[in-house]
Amino acid sequence: MKNLEFIYKRHSIRKFTEEEVKEEDLKAIMEAAIQAPSGKHRQNWHFVIVKNKEKIEGIAKLIEEKNKKIADKLPDKEWADGFKKFVKYATIFRTAPVLVIVYAGDYIPTGLKEFKAIGASQEEIDALNKANPGLQGVSAAIENLMISAGELGYGTCWMTSPNYAAKEISEYVNFNKEGYYLAALTPLGVPATEGKSPERKPLEEVITVIE
Ligand SMILES: Cc1cc2nc3c(=O)[nH]c(=O)nc-3n(C[C@H](O)[C@H](O)[C@H](O)COP(=O)(O)O)c2cc1C
């Protein structure tokens, strides 16, 4: 069997050293990201790469502010406290030298127009949209980015919990491209902690083999 070690080198990393990401490594990682497949070869991704430490901290602060704003409006204290407690998982990128913000562009699933034309049920339309092929291609690019980063000795962490502050983040980095929305973000840097991923469900639980 070929060596698949590169897969096992990727872990979610939530603390980073001060070390910079080498420019040639960043370029190689981003080139690997865009080798991902995408529906109809739309390549409907855009990456905003923040290399400025103060701006990265600024984004973490925005998320904290938005978290507080939401928590203050919640109807009970226990709920609000729980929501506030988890803000740390939305800001774990703050020690990284680089933050990659991933945007996805709108995508019309194959068959959607036809479903509408033939008067398909809302249930069928919703099911088609649910698979979100537009986001699937962008996710493939994110995974390529992370696996390549791991192979080059860098750490990343796929993050969607900051998405409740997507509007504020996009305004802050001044990114506004028609039809594009913030999908996820990831820190990129040299890990300050050893990567250790949680155990996976057993393979038998998640596969069905038909012979
Ligand atoms: C779509 C998605 C969203 C995630 N969002 C966050 C997040 O906001 N904050 C965080 O700390 N980790 C986040 N994670 C990381 C997961 O917690 C992590 O992948 C999982 O626990 C498995 O650990 P591993 O990545 O080390 O294998 C996210 C992962 C994915 C795929």
Side-chain angles (χ1 to χ4, degrees), residues 118-190:
I118 65 168
S121 69
Q122 195 56 44
E123 202 182 328
E124 271 183 305
I125 290 173
D126 290 347
L128 194 61
N129 279 327
K130 208 170 193 174
N132 205 333
L135 195 53
Q136 288 189 36
V138 177
S139 302
I142 299 173
E143 183 70 356
N144 271 14
L145 185 162
M146 293 184 164
I147 294 198
S148 316
E151 183 67 7
L152 294 179
Y154 295 104
T156 54
C157 184
W158 195 314
M159 297 181 69
T160 55
S161 30
N163 288 16
Y164 55 74
K167 188 168 163 279
E168 291 79 1
I169 296 169
S170 299
E171 278 167 12
Y172 187 78
V173 298
N174 199 18
F175 181 78
N176 178 12
K177 185 168 169 168
E178 172 123 21
Y180 277 69
Y181 60 93
L182 194 159
L185 47 88
T186 177
L188 174 65
V190 174

Side-chain angles (χ1 to χ4, degrees), residues 10-12 14 89 92 157-162 197-198 200:
R10 187 216 54 85
H11 305 282
S12 289
R14 300 181 173 90
Y89 289 104
I92 57 92
C157 184
W158 195 314
M159 297 181 69
T160 55
S161 30
S197 290
R200 265 40 184 178

Side-chain angles (χ1 to χ4, degrees), residues 96-107:
V98 174
L99 178 69
V100 183
I101 308 173
V102 185
Y103 287 87
D106 288 340
Y107 179 97

Side-chain angles (χ1 to χ4, degrees), residues 5-202:
E5 206 43 50
F6 64 95
I7 290 291
Y8 301 90
K9 281 188 195 160
R10 187 216 54 85
H11 305 282
S12 289
I13 299 294
R14 300 181 173 90
K15 278 222 160 66
F16 300 86
T17 69
E18 295 276 306
E19 218 174 306
E20 294 293 310
V21 176
K22 287 196 195 102
E23 202 45 47
E24 75 250 35
D25 289 344
L26 180 59
K27 183 149 190 287
I29 290 165
M30 296 317 299
E31 282 290 351
I34 64 166
Q35 300 313 308
S38 60
K40 301 175 195 166
H41 196 40
R42 282 286 149 77
Q43 305 171 74
N44 56 316
W45 41 62
H46 194 100
F47 307 89
V48 174
I49 300 171
V50 187
K51 295 172 169 180
N52 177 307
K53 287 285 271 178
E54 277 162 33
K55 291 223 162 97
I56 292 174
E57 180 56 26
I59 293 169
K61 292 245 162 67
L62 278 181
I63 295 164
E64 285 170 344
E65 278 163 27
K66 185 68 182 271
N67 176 282
K68 187 175 179 310
K69 230 185 211 172
I70 298 167
D72 286 348
K73 285 189 183 156
L74 289 174
D76 77 76
K77 190 174 168 333
E78 208 179 315
W79 188 356
D81 287 347
F83 186 65
K84 278 197 226 165
K85 214 170 94 190
F86 278 96
V87 74
K88 67 171 187 245
Y89 289 104
T91 53
I92 57 92
F93 57 80
R94 72 189 332 153
T95 61
V98 174
L99 178 69
V100 183
I101 308 173
V102 185
Y103 287 87
D106 288 340
Y107 179 97
I108 298 168
T110 303
L112 186 65
K113 271 190 204 146
E114 290 74 12
F115 262 0
K116 287 181 178 165
I118 65 168
S121 69
Q122 195 56 44
E123 202 182 328
E124 271 183 305
I125 290 173
D126 290 347
L128 194 61
N129 279 327
K130 208 170 193 174
N132 205 333
L135 195 53
Q136 288 189 36
V138 177
S139 302
I142 299 173
E143 183 70 356
N144 271 14
L145 185 162
M146 293 184 164
I147 294 198
S148 316
E151 183 67 7
L152 294 179
Y154 295 104
T156 54
C157 184
W158 195 314
M159 297 181 69
T160 55
S161 30
N163 288 16
Y164 55 74
K167 188 168 163 279
E168 291 79 1
I169 296 169
S170 299
E171 278 167 12
Y172 187 78
V173 298
N174 199 18
F175 181 78
N176 178 12
K177 185 168 169 168
E178 172 123 21
Y180 277 69
Y181 60 93
L182 194 159
L185 47 88
T186 177
L188 174 65
V190 174
T193 54
E194 202 198 329
K196 196 173 181 308
S197 290
E199 255 188 52
R200 265 40 184 178
K201 289 177 183 173

